[in-house]
Amino acid sequence: MEVISQNAVYFAVVLVIMALLFVWAYLTGRMQKEFSTMTWVLIPVAIAINLTIGQIVLVLKLPVYLDSIGTVLVGVICGPWAGALTGALSNIIAGIILAPDWFPWFPVAAVIGATAGVMANIGYFKTWWKVVVTGFVIAIMATIVGTPISIIIFGGISASGSSLITAFLLETGRSLLASVLTTNFISEPLDKIATSLLAFAIIDGLSTRYLSRFPRGENATVEKGQKQTELIIALVVVVLLILFGVYILPSITGG
Amino acid sequence: MAIVNLENVTYKYPLTDSPALQNINLRVDEGEFVAVVGPNGAGKSTLCYTIAGFVPHFFKGELTGTVEVAGAESSTSSLHEWVLNVGLAFQNPFNQISGAKYTVFEEIAFGLENIGVPRDEMKVRVEEAMKLTGISDLADRSPYSLSGGQQQRVALTSILVMQPKVLVLDEPTSQMDPIGTREVFGVIRTMAERGMTVVMAEHKVEWIANFADRVVALHEGRILLDGKPREVLTSDILLDKGFGISRYTSVARKAKTRGLWTRQQLPVTLEEAAEGFQDV
Amino acid sequence: MSLNRSFFVPLDSPLHRLNPLTKLTFVFAMILPAFLSLPAFAPGMAIPVLIAVFVGGVQRQYRGLLFKLILPTILFMFFMQSVFLPIGETVIFQLGRFDVTLEAMQTAFLTVSRIFVMVSSFAILLLTTHPGELMSDLTRRGLPPQFAYVIISTLQILPQMQAKAQTIISAQRSRGLDTESTFLKRVGAVVPLVGPLVFGSLVEVEERAIAIEARGFTSTRPKTSLHNVPDTNADKIIRWIFLALVILSLGGRIWLS
Ligand SMILES: Nc1ncnc2c1ncn2[C@@H]1O[C@H](COP(=O)(O)OP(=O)(O)OP(=O)(O)O)[C@@H](O)[C@H]1O
Ligand SMILES: [Mg+2]
């Protein structure tokens, strides 16, 4: 808890900014617009997709989590606030009924949904390379929010596999903050880019008619042109990323 | 008195070029049971959604003409007020389960909670509605544990309990097995007998012939025929436009050309066919 | 890691009779001191939590959760933290190149105690409170009804989807695809099965939205609730006591430091 008192200013600033954003979005009605009946019905399905795919991936022992595909999907087609709510609820519900160590990460999950929503709003969810950029930005945001949580709640070492990287870096004499940040920068982009591309593949498989029912369905209209090729390229990128994770990461980290 | 009144209604879904409904004029009197028939893509569901207010409020798109139910106009009303007058049930029973409730009793009460009916009245209304549709014994079951026919009866009850003035049904039995179909039509018959105004899209013509006061035949978004069930369902026009037709009608039509069917009116149901052929 | 039924155990214990909000207050009255007060509170709060398990008469179900869910997580976390936290001087033993120190083990113990208290107190809430009751009580107190919809709907959809996923996983297992073959084969075998699961569940959304709107989901009238969830004076007093305890424990912490 010393960390909290030492960085009180940091936390105060973050909380104030969030409160201001919230009030602004509420007063301008931007937030309410994201929550149509379609959104309320989609959120439970998205949470179920998060947790179910996350579980399958765990069983398959892939080097990624892929537990926020639904969150990104809601962020893109409904909006950032809806995405944030989906992410937060996803981790809170999972934390209570499935896997206790998920609970403290709910702010990270919320930021993932919100970032996906903001990126989609500025048009960065329409072609595969833009989606890769979005995935990367999501990873950076997740790192910024996740690092303090990792340090405060878990002292830098949690129950996730990437903590082994942190442990290795700490062993080489780096500081706690540097080690956790580095770990997240190594492991997050892979996961978040793959997640975003898979969400993109799902959106690509849904009809425009269906997507247009959601508050931000137009964010997801895949730019016309080589839709097929793009999808294939996107999938290839996912496979390459996963290959990178399987074969390259362990050798970098000496494990 | 017309309780439903559509005048010159033309409607285009968003992102489409050709209208799904064209120049529809339809009046339904209080207590009348109107069946809507038509081939795939004729616009039956669209017509149902229009009366139920989801076109255009939910689906957006362009609607011209006027849609009136119980004196209110759709374009100037909000959907959440509109649904108090018009109840809607449709094909897939599973998708009509709200998901917000654990038992059938709670599921049926869901709508009443939403519109703020006091608790004591709510319980009475739910119990009465369940008795009416014959599902009282399912009260404590999970809606997800039921058969398709049972789920569809729960969906119907969930709408009926809200006491709408008009009931709109979009092919409520199209995903049912024969047992489910019989269960669901049983409920609909009860409704008809109690004087409920019903508009039902349906392709099971033999059932329609037994229930409906009137049949409207839709084709490519237009009303092709509108009249007495037997006249519409046995009309020659339906034959070349790809409508589903009772096999008894087809048999009798062939038989008539060979003089084996002597009555003026072609049959729709098995009973009518049997009687008619006994004449010969 | 799978959830096949709801947690709730229908019994008639003193805990079952409490108002849901009172039990929610209990949860936070356990978690906040464990996380924010003196370190001794973290393992200390385990005592009231375990007493609550017995008051609620849910020992058997709690034991099940303990062994299947809670212990595996916290044991693993204890191991990770003891071995890998780079703190402390008092080396107890070495594991490969890592020193396991007394201080790291103390920190690890603190972390897992907190997680234990957090998960266990939530488990008690869920074991003794019907989710529908919890939600209708919170809705009555001002939680937007859409939240209640999202939570209960998730709790019902999730097990259905997991059951389908479980079938897929078992099928892969029985073909030895989860361990033996290369990961490409593993992925390749699963995608065609997961795809329909995902798309199927998304397609249902539109009709379900229509169905609940037809039943007044977006009505602007004040909502009512089928169930009357009692809230007695005893409930109110207990909530005030919990609140006072939380304030005391946090105040004590600030005062001591
Ligand atoms: N949501 C929609 N957006 C755009 N076009 C639609 C939509 N729903 C239906 N249509 C189109 O409108 C026309 C009428 O469809 P509708 O579903 O009303 O027919 P239907 O008579 O109910 O057919 P079916 O027997 O298959 O149920 C069709 O051409 C269909 O493709
Ligand atoms: Mg239809």
Side-chain angles (χ1 to χ4, degrees):
Chain A
M1 294 307 106
E2 292 64 37
V3 194
I4 294 189
S5 34
Q6 280 161 18
N7 298 293
V9 179
Y10 171 84
F11 289 103
V13 169
V14 170
L15 287 180
V16 168
I17 292 179
M18 273 171 37
L20 285 178
L21 273 177
F22 190 91
V23 171
W24 168 75
Y26 188 83
L27 291 183
T28 54
R30 296 176 75 95
M31 188 188 293
Q32 293 88 324
K33 244 195 214 134
E34 293 179 19
F35 291 95
S36 68
T37 305
M38 287 295 279
T39 308
W40 289 117
V41 178
L42 177 65
I43 290 176
V45 173
I47 296 176
I49 290 177
N50 281 345
L51 303 183
T52 309
I53 295 191
Q55 184 184 358
I56 294 177
V57 167
L58 207 64
V59 172
L60 293 181
K61 301 189 185 73
L62 302 183
V64 282
Y65 307 111
L66 301 186
D67 54 12
S68 36
I69 296 178
T71 304
V72 171
L73 181 73
V74 176
V76 172
I77 65 179
C78 300
W81 295 98
L85 181 69
T86 310
L89 283 180
S90 191
N91 274 47
I92 290 173
I93 291 177
I96 294 175
I97 62 176
L98 292 179
D101 51 322
W102 279 41
F103 192 98
W105 301 102
F106 76 85
V108 179
V111 156
I112 292 171
T115 311
V118 172
M119 292 302 284
N121 273 350
I122 59 169
Y124 269 75
F125 221 87
K126 294 192 186 226
T127 61
W128 74 269
W129 68 266
K130 285 181 178 167
V131 172
V132 171
V133 174
T134 296
F136 194 73
V137 175
I138 292 176
I140 290 173
M141 294 302 292
T143 301
I144 292 173
V145 178
T147 302
I149 293 177
S150 165
I151 292 176
I152 292 171
I153 308 274
F154 300 107
I157 301 289
S158 62
S160 86
S162 64
S163 288
L164 292 173
I165 308 178
T166 318
F168 170 80
L169 293 168
L170 285 168
E171 190 59 22
T172 61
R174 270 166 252 227
S175 77
L176 184 58
L177 184 63
S179 308
V180 175
L181 269 179
T182 317
T183 306
N184 285 340
F185 272 122
I186 294 175
S187 63
E188 289 289 309
L190 169 68
D191 180 47
K192 297 306 175 293
I193 292 174
T195 299
S196 303
L197 285 172
L198 287 171
F200 184 61
I202 291 176
I203 285 171
D204 190 67
L206 295 168
S207 71
T208 322
R209 179 197 280 191
Y210 174 80
L211 289 170
S212 69
R213 297 269 172 276
F214 293 97
R216 301 281 175 86
E218 73 281 359
N219 282 347
T221 40
V222 178
E223 269 169 12
K224 290 283 170 254
Q226 325 88 346
K227 250 175 120 177
Q228 281 292 330
T229 356
E230 293 205 332
L231 196 65
I232 291 166
I233 296 173
L235 290 175
V236 169
V237 173
V238 173
V239 171
L240 285 178
L241 281 167
I242 294 177
L243 275 174
F244 174 76
V246 172
Y247 298 111
I248 318 244
L249 269 190
S251 53
I252 295 181
T253 54
Chain B
M1 243 292 287
I3 188 161
V4 176
N5 190 6
L6 275 63
E7 268 174 32
N8 296 323
V9 171
T10 297
Y11 173 71
K12 246 192 239 171
Y13 280 103
L15 316 166
T16 56
D17 301 325
S18 55
L21 293 179
Q22 283 187 63
N23 230 325
I24 300 288
N25 286 291
L26 180 69
R27 290 167 69 92
V28 181
D29 287 335
E30 219 166 328
E32 210 178 2
F33 193 126
V34 176
V36 180
V37 296
N40 285 350
K44 303 184 292 295
S45 299
T46 310
L47 182 61
C48 288
Y49 285 137
T50 307
I51 299 172
F54 286 84
V55 162
H57 291 295
F58 181 88
F59 287 94
K60 309 289 183 248
E62 279 171 53
L63 182 114
T64 56
T66 55
V67 179
E68 272 177 23
V69 173
E73 225 219 279
S74 166
S75 61
T76 55
S77 310
S78 57
L79 183 55
H80 61 83
E81 290 296 327
W82 195 259
V83 297
L84 300 177
N85 280 337
V86 189
L88 170 71
F90 45 88
Q91 279 123 312
N92 187 321
F94 182 83
N95 290 351
Q96 292 177 83
I97 300 174
S98 71
K101 297 294 168 186
Y102 285 91
T103 66
V104 166
F105 197 98
E106 293 170 341
E107 174 75 14
I108 295 166
F110 176 66
L112 299 183
E113 292 182 320
N114 285 335
I115 60 172
V117 173
R119 177 175 306 134
D120 296 329
E121 186 191 336
M122 192 185 310
K123 285 186 179 154
V124 174
R125 270 166 74 169
V126 171
E127 271 161 16
E128 276 177 2
M130 292 205 304
K131 208 181 283 166
L132 192 68
T133 56
I135 55 168
S136 302
D137 53 325
L138 304 177
D140 295 325
R141 299 266 301 273
S142 159
Y144 288 105
S145 70
L146 307 177
S147 73
Q150 289 170 329
Q151 281 177 342
Q152 191 65 294
R153 281 191 291 163
V154 171
L156 281 172
T157 315
S158 304
I159 288 299
L160 290 174
V161 78
M162 297 182 73
Q163 301 175 344
K165 296 200 173 87
V166 178
L167 187 60
V168 177
L169 305 170
D170 185 8
E171 304 196 43
T173 66
S174 68
Q175 301 188 3
M176 310 277 112
D177 56 17
I179 295 172
T181 304
R182 203 168 317 126
E183 287 174 359
V184 172
F185 274 123
V187 173
I188 296 171
R189 160 163 290 160
T190 317
M191 296 326 334
E193 283 165 0
R194 306 186 117 227
M196 174 73 102
T197 310
V198 181
V199 177
M200 176 171 79
E202 182 57 66
H203 60 257
K204 292 175 180 153
V205 282
E206 290 148 53
W207 288 97
I208 295 176
N210 285 330
F211 282 126
D213 299 320
R214 217 170 105 200
V215 173
V216 171
L218 268 186
H219 183 69
E220 292 176 354
R222 294 171 191 277
I223 293 185
L224 206 61
L225 293 171
D226 180 347
K228 291 242 153 43
R230 270 163 199 76
E231 286 164 16
V232 174
L233 295 173
T234 58
S235 153
D236 292 338
I237 303 173
L238 299 197
L239 201 57
D240 7 289
K241 300 264 184 188
F243 283 68
I245 283 177
S246 157
R247 62 186 118 161
Y248 308 112
T249 314
S250 312
V251 169
R253 185 176 276 122
K254 283 226 175 72
K256 199 172 179 181
T257 57
R258 297 183 196 159
L260 294 172
W261 181 270
T262 50
R263 296 187 173 186
Q264 176 63 28
Q265 175 69 52
L266 291 171
V268 179
T269 64
L270 174 62
E271 290 75 25
E272 289 164 7
E275 270 179 36
F277 281 118
Q278 269 166 10
D279 297 351
V280 188
Chain C
M1 187 172 145
S2 87
L3 167 86
N4 297 318
R5 56 183 172 79
S6 98
F7 278 67
F8 178 61
V9 189
L11 285 178
D12 188 31
S13 80
L15 221 52
H16 282 75
R17 285 193 292 272
L18 282 183
N19 179 274
L21 184 67
T22 311
K23 284 179 264 187
L24 200 60
T25 317
F26 163 80
V27 171
F28 285 99
M30 297 299 113
I31 295 181
L32 290 176
F35 274 82
L36 298 176
S37 191
L38 298 170
F41 272 85
M45 293 327 267
I47 298 167
V49 166
L50 291 176
I51 293 175
V53 171
F54 283 90
V55 177
V58 288
Q59 304 88 320
R60 199 166 55 80
Q61 293 80 4
Y62 176 75
R63 207 186 313 126
L65 283 178
L66 189 65
F67 285 113
K68 276 203 304 247
L69 189 69
I70 307 177
L71 277 183
T73 311
I74 66 179
L75 287 179
F76 182 59
M77 183 158 285
F78 184 78
F79 166 81
M80 292 283 286
Q81 294 216 324
S82 325
V83 177
F84 297 124
L85 277 183
I87 52 171
E89 307 292 309
T90 341
V91 178
I92 300 177
F93 61 92
Q94 286 194 318
L95 201 76
R97 58 205 292 188
F98 295 99
D99 294 335
V100 178
T101 67
L102 184 63
E103 289 81 355
M105 284 182 83
Q106 282 169 343
T107 309
F109 181 67
L110 188 63
T111 310
V112 299
S113 314
R114 284 172 176 159
I115 296 202
F116 174 81
V117 169
M118 184 182 86
V119 182
S120 298
S121 45
F122 269 118
I124 291 166
L125 170 72
L126 294 182
L127 286 170
T128 62
T129 316
H130 191 279
E133 196 179 309
L134 174 65
M135 284 303 146
S136 57
D137 191 53
L138 294 181
T139 309
R140 183 173 64 82
R141 295 175 195 276
L143 181 83
Q146 293 93 334
F147 275 77
Y149 173 82
V150 165
I151 300 217
I152 299 203
S153 183
T154 306
L155 292 179
Q156 300 214 69
I157 291 176
L158 185 57
Q160 295 170 13
M161 212 190 266
Q162 280 189 321
K164 287 181 198 156
Q166 201 57 50
T167 335
I168 297 176
I169 293 172
S170 320
Q172 301 310 308
R173 276 233 174 89
S174 64
R175 290 155 62 193
L177 275 173
D178 60 330
T179 43
E180 288 151 29
S181 51
T182 66
F183 96 98
L184 265 184
K185 271 201 193 133
R186 281 181 261 151
V187 176
V190 157
V191 167
L193 298 169
V194 177
L197 183 63
V198 169
F199 284 108
S201 65
L202 287 173
V203 168
E204 288 167 9
V205 168
E206 184 171 356
E207 287 198 346
R208 201 172 305 132
I210 293 175
I212 65 174
E213 285 219 17
R215 289 158 66 191
F217 186 69
T218 49
S219 164
T220 49
R221 302 180 178 192
K223 304 213 187 300
T224 48
S225 167
L226 173 65
H227 296 298
N228 177 27
V229 186
D231 193 13
T232 62
N233 282 331
D235 275 300
K236 292 186 185 105
I237 294 170
I238 295 173
R239 290 202 291 267
W240 283 112
I241 294 176
F242 280 140
L243 190 66
L245 288 177
V246 171
I247 293 173
L248 274 181
S249 76
L250 299 189
R253 153 91 204 215
I254 293 169
W255 184 63
L256 279 177
S257 62

